[in-house]
Amino acid sequence: MPLDRNDAWLSWQPSQSEPWDRRRAGHLVRRAFFGTTMGDLDRLVDQGLEATLDELFAGAGRESFDDEMRPMERVLSSTQDPRSLASWWLLRMSRTPCQFLEKMTLFWHGHFATTASKVIDPRAMLAQNRLLREHALGSFVPMVEGISKDVAMLVYLDSTDNRKTRPNENYARELMELFCLGPGNYTEADIKELARCFTGWEVRRGKFRFNANQHDRGSKTFLGKTGNFGGDEAVRIVLDHPASSRFLARKLINWLVVDDLPDDEFCEPVARTLRETDFSIGAAIRQILASRWFWCDEQIGSKVRGPVEMAIGLVRGLGVDMNMNQFGDRMEQLGQLPMFPPNVKGWEGGRQWINASTFIGRVNLVAAIVAAGNAGNGFGALARGNDSDAREWVSELVEWLVPVALPQASFDQIVEIAKNARGGLEERVGEVICAIGATPEFQLN
């Protein structure tokens, strides 16, 4: 029975008819994690929903992991190869103990899309990446303030030399259209006036600098406000606009719940939370993930998995070490190479992830991940001691890897593969994972 709109934002509580089990724990894992092992999924079921949500936001192990990654960042900062940034970030995603933080950093990278192919400077891209991670679950306000002075962003939008005699309108436009308000909530006159607020903002020797001599100190009028505004004041005026909280609420709901965005009225409870908490991203996300709407049956398996979500999830779940340079090449073929979004709008996502070419590429990538795993320890343990009953261990693998039930014919075919594939148990489990990865249902989130 479909959920009533009026009940959508009430808190969900597990019950006998809607238990907190592997199916629902897997739903949360696919939306908020990259992936987990079978054993860790069982651990989440045992500890319960509230403890699992608490774990998402706790960030345990972040400091020591950041220390571990820092030497690699220093090497990257001195390289002239921006493509190596993608390999570094894929490696970070595959190993981080703070999966939700890293996944939200990927979300913000698509929101404040900046590509290394234009910025070139790895130091600037790494600095932006750290900025997004620092505020990924915090307040949207300092994130927007920081991105407005971010060197990589200013270089990408050709705003490194914003002078009062020729204000650059690029950042002003994207701040309102793509980052904070959305189309229809501002005018061309607003863009021109907002651009004047950012005059004097420059990049010199790889760092942001305010040049007071090039700042337009005249009165500006935009979004219904008039005054001698500077850039910092202008950012806050944009965020104070009524459309801002609704825009951000819809973006978060789109990322976490549905590919097809609902209307503003439906999203209003989350927008209200953002306004009441001075744009606390974590508070809004907690509301979304705790809602009946997130947990209703219609949402499980209702999204299309992005290439990075799919690939990193499987790598983490199987405990596989990949050559990240080759892995990055495959991500590019599938349409999502981190640090290289296609344009300022980021990745379109949703159903656009899948076409005939990318589907074949996904199947081949699953096979490559399985091959890398079988070259190591193999996957025999995933049969969980049920190697004499193929139907049982295949059923467990499907429950772990796929958000919705497979058609009976597909399931039966995979069971036959489990029984008849050549080699020992490890090879047969690998063949089954490849077969599961070739189903349309595996592509869902």
Side-chain angles (χ1 to χ4, degrees):
M1 182 176 181
L3 183 67
D4 189 288
R5 279 175 65 105
N6 296 324
D7 296 334
W9 297 109
L10 297 177
S11 293
W12 178 77
Q13 295 296 330
S15 64
Q16 188 171 2
S17 61
E18 295 183 337
W20 170 250
D21 54 11
R22 278 175 137 212
R23 178 171 178 259
R24 282 189 166 78
H27 174 53
L28 182 61
V29 162
R30 291 182 187 92
R31 299 297 175 88
F33 293 68
F34 287 106
T36 64
T37 64
M38 292 180 75
D40 205 40
L41 182 63
D42 289 336
R43 178 185 66 81
L44 298 180
V45 173
D46 290 341
Q47 76 179 16
L49 172 60
E50 287 302 317
T52 300
L53 289 176
D54 289 341
E55 182 179 316
L56 283 183
F57 293 92
R62 178 186 173 185
E63 290 186 7
S64 59
F65 180 70
D66 284 348
D67 290 341
E68 178 185 332
M69 297 299 292
R70 203 159 283 126
M72 192 180 300
E73 292 180 26
R74 285 196 289 267
V75 173
L76 287 173
S77 294
S78 61
T79 184
Q80 297 302 310
D81 178 20
R83 192 179 176 85
S84 60
L85 293 167
S87 302
W88 163 82
W89 198 4
L90 289 167
L91 178 67
R92 184 181 178 103
M93 291 182 214
S94 71
R95 295 183 178 179
T96 178
C98 307
Q99 290 195 61
F100 189 42
L101 177 66
E102 206 64 33
K103 197 167 185 180
M104 287 306 299
T105 304
L106 179 64
F107 163 75
W108 291 118
H109 174 49
H111 182 79
F112 296 109
T114 309
T115 179
S117 60
K118 181 172 182 179
V119 176
I120 304 298
D121 184 0
R123 292 170 300 177
M125 291 299 296
L126 285 168
Q128 185 186 87
N129 188 262
R130 286 191 293 269
L131 170 72
L132 298 179
R133 187 174 296 104
E134 183 65 30
H135 299 292
L137 296 171
S139 172
F140 190 56
V141 176
M143 183 187 288
V144 178
E145 291 173 342
I147 208 72
S148 299
K149 297 178 181 178
D150 177 69
V151 171
M153 177 61 72
L154 295 177
V155 170
Y156 181 56
L157 293 180
D158 303 310
S159 296
T160 59
D161 193 20
N162 203 348
R163 310 178 78 81
K164 60 186 177 183
T165 55
R166 43 185 174 84
N168 189 301
E169 296 177 7
N170 289 3
Y171 184 70
R173 181 181 300 277
E174 307 310 351
L175 180 66
M176 292 194 285
E177 179 178 347
L178 297 178
F179 302 159
C180 294
L181 301 182
N185 293 300
Y186 59 89
T187 67
E188 287 297 313
D190 288 330
I191 293 173
K192 294 181 182 300
E193 292 290 276
L194 178 57
R196 294 174 58 208
C197 300
F198 295 121
T199 52
W201 288 30
E202 303 176 342
V203 174
R204 291 292 179 268
R205 297 181 180 178
K207 295 182 179 181
F208 171 81
R209 185 182 76 170
F210 175 63
N211 183 345
N213 292 329
Q214 289 300 329
H215 178 61
D216 184 338
R217 299 187 181 280
S219 181
K220 300 103 175 171
T221 299
F222 69 100
L223 298 179
K225 304 289 184 180
T226 299
N228 179 17
F229 304 125
D232 293 327
E233 296 165 294
V235 167
R236 190 69 223 209
I237 290 170
V238 172
L239 290 172
D240 285 342
H241 190 279
S244 187
S245 59
R246 296 194 297 268
F247 178 79
L248 181 57
R250 285 165 60 88
K251 291 281 290 198
L252 292 173
I253 290 169
N254 179 215
W255 174 250
L256 293 166
V257 191
V258 289
D259 287 334
D260 297 320
L261 284 172
D263 55 74
D264 281 345
E265 181 183 357
F266 183 79
C267 300
E268 176 56 27
V270 179
R272 186 186 310 120
T273 295
L274 287 167
R275 292 192 298 271
E276 292 174 350
T277 61
D278 199 23
F279 285 86
S280 170
I281 299 161
I285 288 175
R286 183 87 185 214
Q287 179 182 13
I288 293 168
L289 296 181
S291 70
R292 290 186 183 180
W293 190 51
F294 177 81
W295 291 105
C296 70
D297 288 339
E298 289 85 354
Q299 301 306 343
I300 300 177
S302 65
K303 285 174 63 67
V304 176
R305 231 187 266 198
V308 171
E309 290 179 295
M310 182 273 290
I312 295 295
L314 192 58
V315 165
R316 292 187 68 107
L318 297 177
V320 173
D321 288 324
M322 298 289 291
N323 178 312
M324 286 301 162
N325 290 325
Q326 296 175 5
F327 197 59
D329 292 341
R330 290 183 178 273
M331 289 295 96
E332 185 173 30
Q333 293 166 12
L334 296 183
Q336 192 181 25
L337 182 64
M339 297 288 189
F340 293 86
N343 51 55
V344 71
K345 293 182 179 180
W347 294 281
E348 189 169 349
R351 293 178 179 84
Q352 301 304 314
W353 287 131
I354 302 288
N355 56 44
S357 175
T358 59
F359 186 84
I360 293 172
R362 284 171 175 244
V363 173
N364 290 337
L365 177 55
V366 170
I369 294 171
V370 169
N374 268 331
N377 297 322
F379 304 123
L382 294 177
R384 306 242 245 184
N386 300 319
D387 52 297
S388 61
D389 188 346
R391 184 168 291 272
E392 184 174 346
W393 63 259
V394 168
S395 179
E396 286 208 322
L397 284 176
V398 169
E399 185 181 34
W400 172 46
L401 293 172
V402 183
V404 295
L406 295 179
Q408 191 62 48
S410 297
F411 180 78
D412 290 343
Q413 287 175 358
I414 294 173
V415 171
E416 289 304 307
I417 291 172
K419 292 177 178 177
N420 301 319
R422 294 181 179 181
L425 180 62
E426 293 181 350
E427 288 75 18
R428 287 192 289 130
V429 172
E431 288 292 326
V432 165
I433 294 172
C434 288
I436 293 172
T439 64
E441 291 78 14
F442 177 77
Q443 318 308 322
L444 301 177
N445 203 353

